[in-house]
Amino acid sequence: MISRFSTNALKTLEPYKAASQDIWQKESKTILKLDWNEGVIDPPEIVNSAFKEFLKNKMVKYYPNTFNDELLESIAKFVSSKKSNISYFSGIDHLHEYIVRAFLEEGDKVSILHPTYDNFRAVCESASVQVEKINFYPKPDIEITQNFKSKIVYFANPNNPTGDLIESEFIEKWLQKNPDTLFIVDEAYIDFSGGTSARLVSEYENILICRTLSKAFCLAGIRFGYCIACDDIINSINLIRNPKSVSMFAQIMANAALQNSQYVQDYVVENNKAKELFRQKILEKFPAVKLHGNHGNFQLVEFSNKQDSCDFIEYLKKEGVYIRNTHHLIPNSCRITIPIDQGLELILKLIDEF
């Protein structure tokens, strides 16, 4: 039951479904949490110690810095953009809410290239925005370049859960053919792939790029994300952005990570090696499966039937390894964040045993 005071939109809303939360239980049996695509390594001590230094200043009792110029400089340098093209938030999910509030009204239409990360859909529908799902993956039809006839088009690039990447040249064609449509490009996994569309921000006013530190930066717990867009888009969002919503904990650790990002590049190299070993092993044991995910930190495993997929998910769960059931997105499939080092050894061992 929900409150009788709820909006009509909430009464029929299908909420975004979270991954397993077993790891937060006191008696958790989780050995590996591979169901939400967080980064799997610990950030270097220089990142962890940054907030410890801040605590010595005894300023935690104050509201956070509402305009952290040094942090904006760090982001701008990392993405080779201007500070005026950047704004930061407590995660991409929070950014989604601001996008809907700033640019969409009841009855507006949003097109989503499906299947994809589901949070933006839920936020739109909660605001009585019309959502159109365009079946696009796992075989992207790049020639969908006619008028979308939507106020906003949203897609993850690289895609989640399939790992497909749309090259920026094709995205540019969409921008040109649909000048009255705002394209939201969720680049949560771009560090594992390359091929960012950030360069288009300086040329087009109808693109907004979402970024996070939850994946390659391995900082999901601090809840930090940012966007890259033209000055007018940034100014519009900042009109309603709560300037004190990003904690100093998140700001300081994000800034330290961005200024010491070599560990991210090293992690990406190791993740790509681990993905190849995982692919070799699972294809050796299950030649009939289809694998997707070259451009993310994960693999989507598509079994030939539902039972095999369910058995695989449940077997790993029994062993304390949580992966994501993605049957609701792609039939007979599951998605696995690929670990490295001992985590990878355990996964390969469990595949053998299964």
Side-chain angles (χ1 to χ4, degrees):
M1 294 287 289
I2 62 173
S3 169
R4 61 187 176 88
F5 298 106
S6 301
T7 65
N8 288 331
L10 282 190
K11 291 174 183 176
T12 58
L13 180 69
E14 180 183 347
Y16 166 69
K17 295 179 177 62
S20 164
Q21 297 298 293
D22 176 80
I23 198 170
W24 296 109
Q25 305 304 313
K26 288 183 179 180
E27 304 300 325
S28 174
K29 298 179 180 178
T30 300
I31 297 173
L32 286 175
K33 188 178 187 301
L34 306 176
D35 55 354
W36 225 346
N37 291 354
E38 299 106 325
V40 299
I41 65 169
D42 293 321
E45 182 55 31
I46 193 170
V47 176
N48 291 327
S49 63
F51 191 71
K52 298 175 187 176
E53 290 300 313
F54 172 77
L55 289 176
K56 295 178 182 178
N57 297 330
K58 298 183 179 180
M59 294 180 68
V60 74
K61 57 184 172 287
Y62 300 118
Y63 282 118
N65 187 344
T66 62
F67 187 83
N68 193 325
D69 193 64
E70 182 183 3
L71 176 55
L72 287 168
E73 287 277 9
S74 296
I75 298 171
K77 182 178 180 180
F78 182 75
V79 300
S80 302
S81 184
K82 298 186 303 180
K83 275 196 307 181
S84 61
N85 294 146
I86 307 292
S87 192
Y88 59 85
F89 310 86
S90 52
I92 286 181
D93 295 338
H94 205 190
L95 169 57
H96 287 170
E97 296 173 15
Y98 284 125
I99 291 170
V100 171
R101 288 175 56 196
F103 303 116
L104 293 169
E105 298 173 299
E106 183 175 347
D108 281 342
K109 180 181 175 183
V110 168
S111 294
I112 293 178
L113 302 188
H114 188 75
T116 192
Y117 179 54
D118 196 43
N119 183 71
F120 190 69
R121 184 275 312 164
V123 175
C124 287
E125 290 185 348
S126 72
S128 298
V129 171
Q130 178 187 353
V131 174
E132 169 195 42
K133 293 181 180 179
I134 299 176
N135 291 325
F136 194 75
Y137 302 101
K139 295 182 179 179
D141 182 359
I142 298 298
E143 295 309 312
I144 300 181
T145 53
Q146 54 280 82
N147 289 331
F148 279 92
K149 297 180 181 179
S150 302
K151 192 167 186 183
I152 282 180
V153 171
Y154 169 87
F155 59 98
N157 199 47
N159 177 255
N160 170 24
T162 68
D164 291 297
L165 179 75
I166 304 173
E167 300 293 339
S168 63
E169 290 78 12
F170 291 105
I171 294 173
E172 185 169 15
K173 291 180 181 178
W174 286 349
L175 299 177
Q176 293 169 347
K177 288 176 176 284
N178 301 271
D180 296 323
T181 296
L182 176 60
F183 287 79
I184 309 298
V185 187
D186 189 334
E187 289 192 344
Y189 299 93
I190 201 67
D191 297 302
F192 295 97
S193 174
T196 176
S197 296
R199 67 173 182 85
L200 300 175
V201 166
S202 62
E203 302 176 47
Y204 299 92
E205 63 178 7
N206 59 330
I207 182 172
L208 183 154
I209 295 173
C210 309
R211 290 282 193 90
T212 182
L213 301 194
S214 296
K215 311 303 181 184
F217 279 84
C218 305
L219 290 172
I222 73 171
R223 306 308 300 126
F224 187 88
Y226 59 94
C227 71
I228 315 167
C230 72
D231 291 19
D232 288 351
I233 292 287
I234 297 297
N235 292 340
S236 295
I237 290 180
N238 283 346
L239 282 175
I240 57 171
R241 172 183 174 271
N242 185 334
K244 59 181 186 293
S245 64
V246 182
S247 72
M248 287 311 300
F249 173 69
Q251 291 186 40
I252 289 168
M253 290 195 71
N255 191 51
L258 287 158
Q259 291 183 355
N260 297 276
S261 60
Q262 181 60 47
Y263 83 94
V264 174
Q265 300 170 43
D266 295 341
Y267 169 45
V268 168
V269 169
E270 291 305 310
N271 179 263
N272 287 335
K273 292 178 182 177
K275 279 190 297 188
E276 183 56 34
L277 291 173
F278 174 87
R279 291 172 64 89
Q280 291 174 10
K281 173 62 70 174
I282 205 158
L283 287 173
E284 171 192 331
K285 298 298 179 180
F286 309 104
V289 304
K290 296 179 181 178
L291 292 175
H292 313 270
N294 287 342
H295 295 283
N297 64 337
F298 57 86
Q299 289 281 278
L300 183 78
V301 183
E302 188 179 351
F303 286 85
S304 56
N305 63 78
K306 184 176 181 179
Q307 190 60 54
D308 286 349
S309 177
C310 290
D311 289 347
F312 186 61
I313 294 168
E314 288 303 311
Y315 177 76
L316 293 182
K317 181 178 177 180
K318 180 172 65 74
E319 298 296 325
V321 177
Y322 285 83
I323 64 176
R324 193 65 180 254
N325 184 327
T326 49
H327 293 178
H328 60 298
L329 297 174
I330 295 178
N332 312 329
S333 71
C334 57
R335 191 193 65 201
I336 307 173
T337 310
I338 302 301
I340 61 175
D341 301 330
Q342 292 89 351
L344 177 65
E345 291 176 9
L346 175 58
I347 282 291
L348 299 183
K349 173 177 174 288
L350 290 176
I351 292 172
D352 269 332
E353 292 175 356
F354 177 76

